[in-house]
Amino acid sequence: MAAEQLATGQAVNRKSRVGTVVSDKGDKTIIVQIGRTSRRRLYRKVIRRTKRYHAHDELNAATRGHTVRIEECRPISKLKRWMLMEVLTEGAVAEVA
């Protein structure tokens, strides 16, 4: 199906997420943490959930603290199914000595 869409020139719908880089230790790999909030049905308490995605960063452009946009792509490795699209803001992270 995706091959047919590409052949006809239509864009493929891909999921996109915005999150914060929490690790950039791997070569061409970043780990992006994405948070979401939801409410419990019974008590209406706000619950924060986080998820970490391994993303491919070809140019090693993103570092810790940056806010980035990642997009779904083909499997690149065992864990990487996302690719860095752009660095939205550059955040500072305190250095620990």
Side-chain angles (χ1 to χ4, degrees), residues 20 22-23 30-35 50-55 70 79 82:
T20 306
V22 293
S23 175
I30 56 174
I31 299 177
V32 180
Q33 184 169 326
I34 296 170
T50 59
K51 189 162 182 179
R52 292 161 51 112
Y53 294 97
H54 289 72
I70 58 175
L79 297 174
W82 296 81

Side-chain angles (χ1 to χ4, degrees), residues 44-55:
R44 310 296 292 168
K45 178 179 175 162
V46 175
I47 300 173
R48 288 185 300 178
R49 302 280 184 186
T50 59
K51 189 162 182 179
R52 292 161 51 112
Y53 294 97
H54 289 72

Side-chain angles (χ1 to χ4, degrees), residues 11-69:
V12 177
N13 289 336
R14 293 188 174 138
K15 295 174 189 168
S16 179
R17 304 278 187 263
V18 174
T20 306
V21 178
V22 293
S23 175
D24 62 344
K25 291 187 178 184
D27 185 32
K28 297 185 180 181
T29 302
I30 56 174
I31 299 177
V32 180
Q33 184 169 326
I34 296 170
R36 64 180 180 89
T37 58
S38 61
R39 286 193 175 266
R40 289 229 16 213
R41 288 188 200 138
L42 181 61
Y43 301 113
R44 310 296 292 168
K45 178 179 175 162
V46 175
I47 300 173
R48 288 185 300 178
R49 302 280 184 186
T50 59
K51 189 162 182 179
R52 292 161 51 112
Y53 294 97
H54 289 72
H56 183 68
D57 181 8
E58 183 68 34
L59 303 174
N60 289 320
T63 58
R64 280 186 65 204
H66 288 182
T67 302
V68 296
R69 186 170 67 84

